[in-house]
Amino acid sequence: MQGILFYWISWALWIASSFLMNKSNLRTFFSFYLLLLIISAGFQISLPDGEMGVAFLLLYIGACGLAAKYRLHRSLRFMIGALGIASGYAGLKLMQLFDPVWFTISPFLLLFLIIFIAVGLLGTSFSGKMCLFLIGICNGELLYELIILPVSGAVSIGQDTFLDFSLLGMGGFRIWGLMERYVNFGNAYGKPSKNKQSRNV
């Protein structure tokens, strides 16, 4: 059932942010943002040549806002990486559409694994990976729908499959970030301390 991953993961992230994160303005904003995202999933914006999901627009705006906050848009590596992720996302979806024989396993799973691993290798921090993933797939979704518009006759941007894809990535990078934090904490905790030798005369 398309869309089920979106609701499960978004609710799990909301519970984690509301009850596990430390009290701060960031926790309040993130919890409110996730609730707004869940509510907006059922609404569409009418376009001259189709429709766009409101949740897609919220994801795009949120990712761009986060990138601006951390000044990622000033990084040439980030900009090239986002362009590459968008091109790869659109290109792989076009391959799935016109030459599906290359995808013997689940096309959704294969596409997700390729994009997730690519973003994980290109991103340098948790926020950087999250922004790179969301901006890349949002631009890729727009590019894909514009390319197939002459064939499909109408665009359908940010529907259930895309929402599943995006929230699966957000959840995956959240787990990735927690694992990196615990590994770094374990390395720092296990590192032997250098005690100064006392000079006894």
Side-chain angles (χ1 to χ4, degrees), residues 159-178:
Q159 301 306 313
D160 291 342
T161 303
F162 175 84
L163 295 179
D164 285 346
F165 194 96
S166 59
L167 264 294
L168 188 61
M170 289 177 65
F173 284 117
R174 183 58 181 165
I175 295 173
W176 189 323
L178 291 174

Side-chain angles (χ1 to χ4, degrees), residues 43-53 145 154-159:
F43 296 94
Q44 306 292 326
I45 299 174
S46 296
L47 301 174
D49 293 319
E51 59 184 12
M52 174 189 293
E145 291 293 337
V155 296
S156 183
I157 302 170
Q159 301 306 313

Side-chain angles (χ1 to χ4, degrees), residues 43-197:
F43 296 94
Q44 306 292 326
I45 299 174
S46 296
L47 301 174
D49 293 319
E51 59 184 12
M52 174 189 293
V54 177
F56 170 88
L57 192 60
L58 285 177
L59 284 171
Y60 202 4
I61 293 173
C64 291
L66 192 63
K69 178 183 178 182
Y70 291 103
R71 299 182 179 180
L72 297 173
H73 61 288
R74 297 184 179 182
S75 170
L76 182 61
R77 174 192 176 103
F78 180 84
M79 299 301 291
I80 294 176
L83 180 62
I85 295 299
S87 302
Y89 178 90
L92 287 170
K93 288 199 71 173
L94 287 171
M95 284 186 63
Q96 292 176 1
L97 181 64
F98 295 109
D99 199 5
V101 70
W102 289 95
F103 301 90
T104 55
I105 62 173
S106 171
F108 177 90
L109 181 60
L110 185 59
L111 176 63
F112 175 78
L113 289 175
I114 293 173
I115 299 298
F116 186 82
I117 293 172
V119 172
L121 295 175
L122 290 172
T124 56
S125 63
F126 168 71
S127 57
K129 291 172 184 175
M130 191 74 75
C131 292
L132 185 60
F133 179 80
L134 290 176
I135 292 176
I137 64 172
C138 285
N139 286 330
E141 180 79 357
L142 291 171
L143 179 60
Y144 170 76
E145 291 293 337
L146 289 176
I147 291 174
I148 67 169
L149 178 58
V151 179
S152 63
V155 296
S156 183
I157 302 170
Q159 301 306 313
D160 291 342
T161 303
F162 175 84
L163 295 179
D164 285 346
F165 194 96
S166 59
L167 264 294
L168 188 61
M170 289 177 65
F173 284 117
R174 183 58 181 165
I175 295 173
W176 189 323
L178 291 174
M179 290 175 63
E180 286 183 343
R181 181 183 300 177
Y182 285 123
V183 168
N184 293 333
F185 176 77
N187 291 336
Y189 182 78
K191 191 177 295 183
S193 60
K194 296 181 179 179
N195 298 322
K196 292 183 179 180
Q197 295 180 353

